[in-house]
């Protein structure tokens, strides 16, 4: 009996944790891909190979964790043209974008 309760608690915790880190839904992912190409691309290049801002390719981004990149996206880099995206993106959006860039999934 006690064992069953333990499993139940573990299952509930797992669901809660997974939900907390869930990716944005499909429509939001579509919007974020569009933003990446058109807004981020304005500085980082349409194919993210660099322009005014550096290339956002996985080889370069390997030096950073997803958390660090999400932080850069949300807060920008003060003193550089990299603007803070906090007004437009949630932490979840930024984390998803950071992972997307690190995996080299962006075109
Ligand atoms: C107005 C131009 C501009 C726009 C728009 C812009 N960036 Fe940047 N970004 C920069 C510049 C310039 C840097 C380099 C800052 C520095 O010198 O540290 C940078 C740096 C970064 C970095 C750190 C890269 C590294 O190797 O240090 C990331 C990640 C990043 N931008 C992501 C984004 C994302 C995602 C978007 C769109 C949501 C975006 N940027 C939009 C100009 C821009």
């Amino acid at each position: 009996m006690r064992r069953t309760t333990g499993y139940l608690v573990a299952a509930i915790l797992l669901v809660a944790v997974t939900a907390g880190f869930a990716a944005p839904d499909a429509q939001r992912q579509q919007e974020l891909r569009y933003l990446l190409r058109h807004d981020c691309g304005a500085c980082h290049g349409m194919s993210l190979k660099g322009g005014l801002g550096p290339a956002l390719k996985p080889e370069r981004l390997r030096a950073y964790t997803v958390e660090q990149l999400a932080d850069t996206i949300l807060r920008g880099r003060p003193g550089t043209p990299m603007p803070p995206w906090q007004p437009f993106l949630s932490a979840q959006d930024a984390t998803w974008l950071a992972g997307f860039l690190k995996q080299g999934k962006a075109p």
Side-chain angles (χ1 to χ4, degrees), residues 23-35 85 87-90 92-94 96-97:
D25 64 27
Q27 196 198 322
R28 185 62 179 156
Q29 290 187 17
Q30 193 68 38
E31 289 166 6
L32 292 173
R33 280 205 200 95
Y34 186 89
L35 175 97
W85 291 88
F88 312 104
L89 300 175
S90 67
Q92 189 189 54
D93 291 340
W96 184 82
L97 275 174

Side-chain angles (χ1 to χ4, degrees), residues 4 16 28 31 35 44 50 53-54 56 58 64 66-67 70 73 77-78 83 93 104:
T4 318
R28 185 62 179 156
E31 289 166 6
L35 175 97
H44 292 278
L56 297 178
Y64 304 101
V66 165
E67 291 72 27
I73 295 168
R77 287 256 169 91
D93 291 340

Side-chain angles (χ1 to χ4, degrees), residues 39-40 43-44 53-54 56 60 64 69 73 77 80-83 85:
D39 295 75
C40 316
C43 286
H44 292 278
L56 297 178
R60 186 188 160 89
Y64 304 101
L69 291 173
I73 295 168
R77 287 256 169 91
T80 80
M82 174 62 186
W85 291 88

Side-chain angles (χ1 to χ4, degrees), residues 47-66:
S47 51
L48 304 177
K49 290 193 181 123
L52 172 64
L56 297 178
K57 293 291 175 188
E59 310 81 64
R60 186 188 160 89
L61 300 182
R62 203 175 298 149
Y64 304 101
T65 64
V66 165

